[in-house]
Amino acid sequence: GAGVSQSPSNKVTEKGKDVELRCDPISGHTALYWYRQSLGQGLEFLIYFQGNSAPDKSGLPSDRFSAERTGGSVSTLTIQRTQQEDSAVYLCASSQSSADTQYFGPGTRLTVL
Amino acid sequence: DQQVKQNSPSLSVQEGRISILNCDYTNSMFDYFLWYKKYPAEGPTFLISISSIKDKNEDGRFTVFLNKSAKHLSLHIVPSQPGDSAVYFCAASGSRYGQNFVFGPGTRLSVLP
């Protein structure tokens, strides 16, 4: 079956604009994660969804960041009023449960001008 | 302050020789560790894991060693192959069931033919 997919693959936006990044996890995976990788940095955890439980938002860097997961499947990460420091590769991962291996999507490269 | 460190940003190894990638961590609560490999324009892929009850885990050409007292782990690849050229990320968590993995900044491995 298909792996984790993300769209768009690249996004260039102007400072102050809102952006939405989409993640389609592997079918049947109950756990979904968002990370970001800034230039020269490791992967930074942002948010975690597990089934119908309330998401763990502890990694979101500011209230400009939010994420939803509709119907336990597709997830959207929204960044409002983007800033230049938001420029990074945003990676989504899913796993069958929180105890299982995470499978990553190819990422969305966000550039804020 | 980085909780997971990979102090070598890059490493070059001759094909057929051993590659040793190092990772150090500061949080003594970490007891589950993973290595991911990442090719350009792709998401990271899981490589191998180890929990604190073991000091070694082997999977084919890949072996991970854990020294809890030194808060150090290493990934050995032997023999190294050109296809192993990628960025390798070390990640740590408080348990296998923890969703809040902390990733290191990565080490870029180049295996020279």
Side-chain angles (χ1 to χ4, degrees), chain A residues 37 42 48 56 99 101-102 104-105, chain B residues 43-44 46 89 96-97 99 101 104:
Chain A
Q37 184 180 15
Y48 160 72
D56 176 356
T101 300
Q102 297 180 32
F104 282 80
Chain B
F46 171 76
F89 290 98
R96 179 180 182 180
Y97 301 93
Q99 67 274 15
F101 283 96

Side-chain angles (χ1 to χ4, degrees), chain A residues 33 35 37 40-45 48 56 58-59 91 98-107, chain B residues 2 32 34 36 38 41-46 87 89 96-106:
Chain A
Y33 312 75
Y35 297 88
Q37 184 180 15
Q41 302 293 315
L43 294 170
E44 175 189 4
F45 167 78
Y48 160 72
D56 176 356
S58 60
L91 287 153
S98 63
D100 290 299
T101 300
Q102 297 180 32
Y103 295 86
F104 282 80
Chain B
Q2 282 189 329
Y32 187 66
L34 309 95
Y36 281 83
K38 185 181 185 302
E42 295 183 13
T45 56
F46 171 76
V87 177
F89 290 98
R96 179 180 182 180
Y97 301 93
Q99 67 274 15
N100 197 344
F101 283 96
V102 181
F103 285 77

Side-chain angles (χ1 to χ4, degrees), chain B residues 38-65:
Chain B
K38 185 181 185 302
Y39 293 117
E42 295 183 13
T45 56
F46 171 76
L47 201 54
I48 194 168
S49 65
I50 190 166
S51 67
S52 60
I53 61 173
K54 301 175 77 171
D55 56 16
K56 175 183 174 182
N57 190 24
E58 192 172 351
D59 183 3
R61 297 185 296 112
F62 301 90
T63 303
V64 55
F65 296 91

Side-chain angles (χ1 to χ4, degrees), chain A residues 32-105:
Chain A
L32 187 147
Y33 312 75
W34 282 98
Y35 297 88
R36 73 175 174 183
Q37 184 180 15
S38 304
L39 191 64
Q41 302 293 315
L43 294 170
E44 175 189 4
F45 167 78
L46 296 177
I47 188 169
Y48 160 72
F49 296 89
Q50 172 59 57
N52 296 321
S53 303
D56 176 356
K57 304 178 183 180
S58 60
L60 294 179
S62 78
D63 58 8
R64 296 185 295 105
F65 288 72
S66 62
E68 289 185 342
R69 189 177 185 192
T70 53
S73 181
V74 171
S75 178
T76 302
L77 177 69
T78 301
I79 309 173
Q80 295 177 310
R81 305 180 303 281
T82 51
Q83 304 293 312
Q84 287 184 329
E85 61 263 28
D86 299 335
S87 296
V89 175
Y90 288 81
L91 287 153
C92 173
S94 72
S95 61
Q96 283 195 320
S97 73
S98 63
D100 290 299
T101 300
Q102 297 180 32
Y103 295 86
F104 282 80

Side-chain angles (χ1 to χ4, degrees), chain B residues 23-97:
Chain B
C23 177
D24 296 283
Y25 60 96
T26 57
N27 189 337
S28 59
M29 299 303 291
F30 288 150
D31 65 0
Y32 187 66
F33 306 90
L34 309 95
W35 284 93
Y36 281 83
K37 178 170 75 172
K38 185 181 185 302
Y39 293 117
E42 295 183 13
T45 56
F46 171 76
L47 201 54
I48 194 168
S49 65
I50 190 166
S51 67
S52 60
I53 61 173
K54 301 175 77 171
D55 56 16
K56 175 183 174 182
N57 190 24
E58 192 172 351
D59 183 3
R61 297 185 296 112
F62 301 90
T63 303
V64 55
F65 296 91
L66 175 62
N67 182 335
K68 280 211 79 176
S69 60
K71 297 192 184 69
H72 176 83
L73 66 155
S74 61
L75 175 68
H76 292 212
I77 307 172
V78 55
S80 302
Q81 299 174 354
D84 296 329
S85 298
V87 177
Y88 289 79
F89 290 98
C90 169
S93 175
S95 80
R96 179 180 182 180
Y97 301 93

